[in-house]
Amino acid sequence: MTKFDSLKFPKDFWWGAAASAPQTEGESLAYGKAPNTWDKWFEMAPEVFSEIGPGRTSNVYNLYREDVQRMQDINLNSYRTSISWSRLLPDGETLNQEAVAYYRDYFQTMRDKGIEPIINLFHFDMPWWMMELGGWINPIITDKFAFYARTCVEQFGDLVKYWVTFNEPIVHVECSYIYEFHYPAIRDFKKAIESGYYTILAHSKAIKAMKEVSSDIKVGTILNLTPIYSKSDSKEDLQAARYAQLLNVDSFLEPMVKGTFPKDLVLLLEENDLLLNVNEDDLTIIRENTAEFLGVNYYQPKRVQAPEGDVNRPALMPEDLYAPYIWKERRINPYRGWEIYPEALYDISKLVQNEYGNIPWFVSENGIGVADEARFQDENGMIQDDYRIEFIQEHLTMLHKGMEEGSNCFGYHLWTFVDCWSWLNGYNNRYGLYSIDLKTQKRTLKKSGQWFSEFIQKQSQ
Ligand code: BGP
């Protein structure tokens, strides 16, 4: 027996996988769904995308029953996906009854098969009507979002106990307003701060609205808690790491979990003329409506060093405060360009335990995207993805170590279940426990899926 095989996780641990509505549903302009920014952006600028747009995904809208059966076949006990705001409320106000029927049956099917649904409200998919009003930089969105959140619990609260407000909120903020990866793809630090603030306010207003409908539900949020590692212990590198921590980790974690804003972050924004005028009532809502549990998506660490040049001038962009640094011992997933560093999962478990009141949390995404996986198929068409098994084992080992020391982790979800569409990479990198043939939509279990299934089975004995 290897050391890994002897690890024992709690009996009721969530073993599952994660995905999102826009990356799996398909039928993106059918059955009453209105366009979201991805649908519109693909229509306006297909060259931005890697050939395949958001309309061509794994057709879960039509195949969910078979997929849920597959979840049960491989012993998953939980699954996270999202509701599409623009499908449920195409104009922001009117319920789309076809969407209600679809989601109800999807969630009911999960329940019938013993799969706990964890349902997210926003996975980077802004309705186009809201984007035309300014998206996350128009404060009106906070009430629109709360209305959507309330509607979800009214319609599905009897089937879904665990809700999350956002998936990786920093991503829609930085990719839309700093790094130009998501629509509207502009560079404006002030707008990034505004969109971040209104996202946090929307999170709290949503929790308030959802809990008013049902006190039986639990509402959390999902953050990509990239640990920050400094190049050295020099004063400058440590300062850069501190800035990176404030902007990338504490910025969302502290308000969404504790209801307060990091004092040093407020100071930093003030010094750089980036602080917003906010009102006391909103701060009270944020303080009083916080996440009850946390999901952590982890793929890669963030390594930083002091930036070159004059660090005293007003910071205009995050890269004026910290610069990336490549660790010379790093292992890398060459297809995605992400460092592989399982030790960070231990560090995350300690961060949550020691600095965030040991709030109940789960690993809501972890995984490895590999290109051209068909080359690893055996004669039966099963992809022999031993690298994925090794990746999962290494990460679970580190997670287990943190849990042994008392970190309050209650689950592990792999990204993803069936190979799915990726925002800008289409189907280039595959993450699934099942592979997909895009022409036929046929799903085939990978070796990692087989392994994961047997591993879960053993854990439940
Ligand atoms: C996470 C997102 C997922 C998924 C994953 C893999 O950040 O929450 O939606 O896409 O990353 O990333 P990618 O698809 O860019 O390879």
Side-chain angles (χ1 to χ4, degrees):
M1 187 149 88
T2 66
K3 190 159 178 288
F4 179 80
D5 289 329
S6 66
L7 297 184
K8 201 73 190 144
F9 287 83
K11 271 260 166 307
D12 52 355
F13 206 65
W14 280 358
W15 295 111
S20 73
Q23 290 175 275
T24 58
E25 277 181 359
E27 305 290 9
S28 61
L29 295 173
Y31 300 105
K33 180 178 167 299
N36 62 32
T37 39
W38 296 95
D39 302 317
K40 274 286 173 191
W41 201 17
F42 185 66
E43 194 182 296
M44 292 185 293
E47 68 283 357
V48 171
F49 295 79
S50 156
E51 292 171 31
I52 300 177
R56 201 164 146 222
T57 63
S58 28
N59 197 17
V60 163
Y61 190 89
N62 297 302
L63 301 176
Y64 63 91
R65 286 198 193 91
E66 293 92 318
D67 271 356
V68 175
Q69 180 58 57
R70 287 185 187 92
M71 291 172 202
Q72 192 190 42
D73 292 346
I74 62 165
N75 296 320
L76 304 191
N77 62 14
S78 49
Y79 185 72
R80 191 252 302 191
T81 186
S82 63
I83 290 174
S84 159
W85 188 357
S86 49
R87 185 182 297 285
L88 188 68
L89 296 166
D91 61 4
E93 287 166 14
T94 319
L95 254 188
N96 171 7
Q97 291 301 342
E98 281 180 284
V100 173
Y102 156 65
Y103 287 118
R104 283 200 66 82
D105 197 45
Y106 191 2
F107 304 152
Q108 182 66 59
T109 309
M110 283 192 222
R111 294 231 82 91
D112 294 346
K113 299 278 173 194
I115 315 286
E116 184 77 51
I118 295 92
I119 301 303
N120 173 31
L121 299 179
F122 190 89
H123 199 122
F124 315 157
D125 53 335
M126 173 75 69
W128 184 249
W129 59 264
M130 186 62 235
M131 185 50 83
E132 287 187 303
L133 296 174
W136 285 113
I137 56 176
N138 183 344
I140 197 182
I141 193 170
T142 59
D143 292 321
K144 303 272 184 201
F145 188 75
F147 175 76
Y148 160 53
R150 172 186 298 276
T151 307
C152 286
V153 181
E154 283 166 357
Q155 298 301 320
F156 314 115
D158 56 329
L159 299 174
V160 177
K161 176 164 183 203
Y162 296 95
W163 293 88
V164 282
T165 52
F166 287 95
N167 174 77
E168 303 185 351
I170 199 170
V171 169
H172 67 249
V173 169
E174 63 182 12
C175 287
S176 306
Y177 298 106
I178 294 179
Y179 299 127
E180 302 174 86
F181 292 140
H182 292 188
Y183 191 87
I186 53 176
R187 268 170 79 73
D188 186 325
F189 205 175
K190 185 99 189 217
K191 286 200 166 79
I193 303 294
E194 278 172 357
S195 68
Y197 180 72
Y198 294 131
T199 298
I200 291 162
L201 183 57
H203 157 84
S204 294
K205 285 191 177 178
I207 293 177
K208 187 167 187 289
M210 293 163 97
K211 294 293 238 182
E212 274 165 15
V213 180
S214 166
S215 53
D216 296 335
I217 58 165
K218 297 264 179 228
V219 191
T221 200
I222 289 178
L223 304 178
N224 44 328
L225 288 192
T226 309
I228 311 292
Y229 299 100
S230 165
K231 179 181 178 186
S232 76
D233 286 344
S234 75
K235 201 170 116 248
E236 294 75 16
D237 285 346
L238 289 176
Q239 180 61 265
R242 176 78 187 131
Y243 288 142
Q245 170 84 18
L246 286 172
L247 285 170
N248 293 277
V249 179
D250 299 337
S251 52
F252 285 92
L253 186 55
E254 185 171 321
M256 285 179 151
V257 168
K258 291 185 182 167
T260 52
F261 288 89
K263 288 201 178 60
D264 288 353
L265 179 61
V266 173
L267 267 177
L268 178 69
L269 297 181
E270 206 166 15
E271 279 165 12
N272 290 285
D273 203 18
L274 289 165
L275 200 62
L276 310 179
N277 283 324
V278 294
N279 76 55
E280 273 309 315
D281 291 347
D282 289 347
L283 292 178
T284 306
I285 292 176
I286 291 171
R287 202 165 43 244
E288 291 178 352
N289 298 280
T290 52
E292 293 170 281
F293 67 95
L294 185 65
V296 176
N297 292 354
Y298 172 68
Y299 291 91
Q300 56 165 345
K302 195 176 194 79
R303 299 190 188 275
V304 301
Q305 58 185 331
E308 286 183 0
D310 179 7
V311 287
N312 291 321
R313 71 190 155 89
L316 300 173
M317 280 292 149
E319 57 262 33
D320 297 318
L321 298 165
Y322 54 87
Y325 152 68
I326 295 177
W327 185 36
K328 58 179 187 318
E329 289 170 45
R330 80 168 175 179
R331 288 191 287 152
I332 191 156
N333 167 10
Y335 310 102
R336 193 61 179 80
W338 286 348
E339 182 181 337
I340 299 174
Y341 188 66
E343 290 81 351
L345 255 192
Y346 170 77
D347 293 339
I348 290 170
S349 73
K350 300 314 282 182
L351 171 86
V352 177
Q353 180 179 2
N354 297 333
E355 289 172 44
Y356 284 88
N358 213 5
I359 182 173
W361 70 286
F362 75 115
V363 177
S364 40
E365 282 183 33
N366 181 224
I368 181 166
V370 172
D372 206 7
E373 279 196 313
R375 73 196 133 128
F376 302 122
Q377 262 172 7
D378 68 8
E379 60 284 4
N380 302 315
M382 182 186 259
I383 289 166
Q384 301 295 304
D385 53 347
D386 295 82
Y387 43 85
R388 183 165 288 109
I389 298 173
E390 195 184 317
F391 180 96
I392 299 170
Q393 289 186 345
E394 286 186 332
H395 283 78
L396 282 177
T397 302
M398 286 297 149
L399 176 64
H400 192 268
K401 186 172 166 219
M403 291 172 63
E404 263 183 335
E405 293 176 21
S407 192
N408 200 2
C409 177
F410 61 83
Y412 176 87
H413 279 186
L414 195 79
W415 185 269
T416 188
F417 178 54
V418 173
D419 287 343
C420 71
W421 179 78
S422 163
W423 313 100
L424 300 171
N425 291 317
Y427 280 87
N428 293 348
N429 299 320
R430 308 291 180 105
Y431 289 82
L433 293 167
Y434 282 84
S435 63
I436 193 169
D437 177 332
L438 281 176
K439 285 200 196 80
T440 60
Q441 289 288 349
K442 182 168 180 257
R443 280 88 155 123
T444 307
L445 191 63
K446 297 182 193 175
K447 186 175 176 185
S448 59
Q450 178 75 41
W451 171 83
F452 199 42
S453 155
E454 288 162 10
F455 170 74
I456 298 169
Q457 177 77 34
K458 275 191 229 129
Q459 286 294 322
S460 58
Q461 279 161 7

